[in-house]
Amino acid sequence: MASMEEFRPDPRIPRQLVDLLIANYSVPKACFSKPPAASQLPHQLDTLHLCTFGILTTLVVISLILYLEEAFYLRRKVLCPVKRKTLLWSSASPTIIGIFSCFGLWIPRASMFVDMGISTYFAICFYLILTVIIEGFGGKNALVKKMENTDVNINTGPCCCCCPCLPRIKLTKQKVTIFTLAVIQMAFMKPIFNFIGLFLWADGIFNPDDISAQSLALWMGTIIGFSTIIALWPIGILFRQAKMNLSEQNIGAKFAVFQILLILTTVQTSIFSILAGAGQIPCFPPYSSKARSQLMNNNLLIVETFLLSIVARNAYRKRDEEAGFSSKTQHA
C-alpha cells in the first residue's frame, strides 16, 4: 500500500474521482502513486519480471564489454590523437544510452533524471558526429581544400529540403565555422535547459509531463525543437559530401547509428509519453500508467542500443594509420 507521501494522483483528475475509483471500483492505489523505490522494487516484482530485468542488464554489460574492446582497438590502431578521441566518444553513444536506460530500469523514480541524462549526452553527440565528418577529411583546412572546386548543395533536410531554388555554395573556413557553431548551440542549449528544468522542478514550477499551453515544459521543448532542426541542417549538408568522399571510413554506417539514436531518444520516447498521457497504457501495479510507459521505453531502448552497439563496433572499428593532425592545426 502506498503511503500518503507516495500517493500522487494525476492533477487533471479530480481527487474525489480518484477516491471513488479506489474505493468502489478496486483500482489499485499504485496506479496513482510514485513508482517503487529501488530497494522495494525486487520485492514487488514477480520472477518473470526479475528475469527480464536480469537479461536486459546482461545486454547492457555485453554492450559495455564490446565498447571497451573497441576502445582498446582504436587506441592502438588510430594514430591521429584528435581523431582517436572523437571516435572514442562518438562510438560510445549506444552504450552510454543503454547504461542510462538500465539505471531507469532499476531506479524507476529517477526516470526524469535518466531522460535528462540521455538528452544531454545525445545533444553532445550532434557535435561529435559533425567532428567525425570534418576529421574524416583531415580537419577543417583539408575539408575546405578538398571541396574548393565543388559547389555544395544546401537544400537538405530538415530545414531546406523543400527549397530547390537555394544556390549552391563554395565551402570556406568561415562557412565551416558557421556550420560548427550551428551545431554547438544545440550541444549547449539542451544541457542548459535541462539544468534550468532541474532547478525549477525542485521548486515545483517545472513538470516535464505537463504539455499545456501554460507549462514551461512545452515552451522549453519547442525552443529545443527549433535548436535541433538548426543543428541537423549543417550536419546533413556535410554528410552529403562525406558520403561521396569518405565511403572507405564507413561514414554511412556511423551516420545511420546517429540517426537511429536520434529517433529512438526523441520520437520513441515522445510516443510512449503521449500514449501514457492519453490513457492508452494501462496501469500495472506496482507501476502507474506513466511509470509503466517509461519502463517499456527503457526496455526497448536497452535492446535497441545493444543492437546498435554491435553496428557501431563494426562501423568504428577500423584501422587508421594516417598521422593526422593536432588540434592546433585543425583550428588554424
Side-chain angles (χ1 to χ4, degrees):
M1 182 69 68
S3 66
M4 290 307 296
E5 290 182 357
E6 297 174 339
F7 187 61
R8 188 178 58 181
D10 192 322
R12 298 171 298 178
I13 305 176
R15 179 59 184 267
Q16 295 82 357
L17 178 58
V18 172
D19 294 336
L20 177 67
L21 291 171
I22 294 174
N24 296 348
Y25 293 90
S26 301
V27 176
K29 199 169 185 179
C31 293
F32 303 100
S33 304
K34 294 179 180 179
S39 58
Q40 302 168 345
L41 190 62
H43 306 288
Q44 297 188 25
L45 296 178
D46 56 26
T47 304
L48 178 61
H49 281 88
L50 287 175
C51 290
T52 302
F53 278 28
I55 293 171
L56 293 172
T57 304
T58 302
L59 291 181
V60 174
V61 173
I62 294 173
S63 175
L64 178 59
I65 293 172
L66 289 176
Y67 170 71
L68 292 177
E69 187 276 334
E70 174 198 338
F72 181 72
Y73 178 89
L74 292 176
R75 290 184 66 86
R76 290 186 298 112
K77 302 299 183 180
V78 178
L79 298 185
C80 173
V82 176
K83 186 183 294 186
R84 181 172 60 238
K85 181 173 65 175
T86 304
L87 293 175
L88 286 170
W89 278 102
S90 182
S91 62
S93 51
T95 302
I96 290 179
I97 292 173
I99 292 172
F100 272 115
S101 300
C102 191
F103 279 117
L105 203 67
W106 290 102
I107 315 174
R109 291 189 180 180
S111 59
M112 184 184 74
F113 301 97
V114 168
D115 290 343
M116 287 186 171
I118 289 175
S119 61
T120 297
Y121 178 77
F122 196 69
I124 299 172
C125 287
F126 277 71
Y127 175 69
L128 290 175
I129 191 65
L130 179 75
T131 309
V132 166
I133 294 173
I134 294 176
E135 291 177 359
F137 283 97
K140 186 189 299 184
N141 294 335
L143 170 62
V144 173
K145 185 175 182 180
K146 177 78 174 179
M147 296 289 109
E148 61 183 358
N149 297 319
T150 304
D151 293 327
V152 177
N153 196 347
I154 62 173
N155 62 329
T156 183
C159 287
C160 305
C161 53
C162 300
C163 303
C165 58
L166 287 176
R168 294 173 176 266
I169 64 170
K170 294 284 189 182
L171 272 187
T172 62
K173 281 188 183 180
Q174 184 179 17
K175 290 185 176 70
V176 175
T177 300
I178 293 173
F179 286 172
T180 305
L181 291 176
V183 176
I184 287 177
Q185 58 83 25
M186 171 64 179
F188 276 101
M189 287 278 286
K190 187 63 178 178
I192 289 173
F193 272 48
N194 281 341
F195 280 117
I196 292 174
L198 281 176
F199 290 127
L200 297 179
W201 170 81
D203 201 40
I205 300 174
F206 177 77
N207 179 9
D209 299 328
D210 183 10
I211 54 173
S212 63
Q214 295 78 24
S215 73
L216 284 173
L218 177 65
W219 293 105
M220 291 171 68
T222 303
I223 294 172
I224 290 298
F226 281 113
S227 175
T228 303
I229 291 173
I230 293 172
L232 283 172
W233 187 37
I235 293 175
I237 292 171
L238 292 183
F239 173 69
R240 276 190 174 184
Q241 306 305 317
K243 186 168 58 174
M244 295 182 291
N245 295 279
L246 303 178
S247 57
E248 73 283 354
Q249 298 186 31
N250 295 332
I251 196 67
K254 294 173 183 176
F255 192 71
V257 171
F258 168 78
Q259 285 183 309
I260 295 172
L261 281 176
L262 175 63
I263 294 171
L264 296 180
T265 57
T266 54
V267 178
Q268 177 177 288
T269 303
S270 299
I271 289 174
F272 276 109
S273 181
I274 291 170
L275 289 175
Q280 298 301 309
I281 297 179
C283 161
F284 188 86
Y287 296 101
S288 65
S289 176
K290 177 64 179 176
R292 193 174 178 217
S293 74
Q294 293 165 338
L295 172 68
M296 294 167 68
N297 183 49
N298 285 330
N299 288 351
L300 273 178
L301 273 177
I302 289 174
V303 176
E304 291 159 346
T305 52
F306 170 73
L307 297 176
L308 282 176
S309 68
I310 298 175
V311 176
R313 178 179 180 274
N314 293 331
Y316 284 89
R317 196 177 188 276
K318 188 173 179 60
R319 182 190 299 268
D320 189 340
E321 297 181 344
E322 294 184 10
F325 49 91
S326 68
S327 57
K328 291 182 179 179
T329 59
Q330 182 185 5
H331 298 291

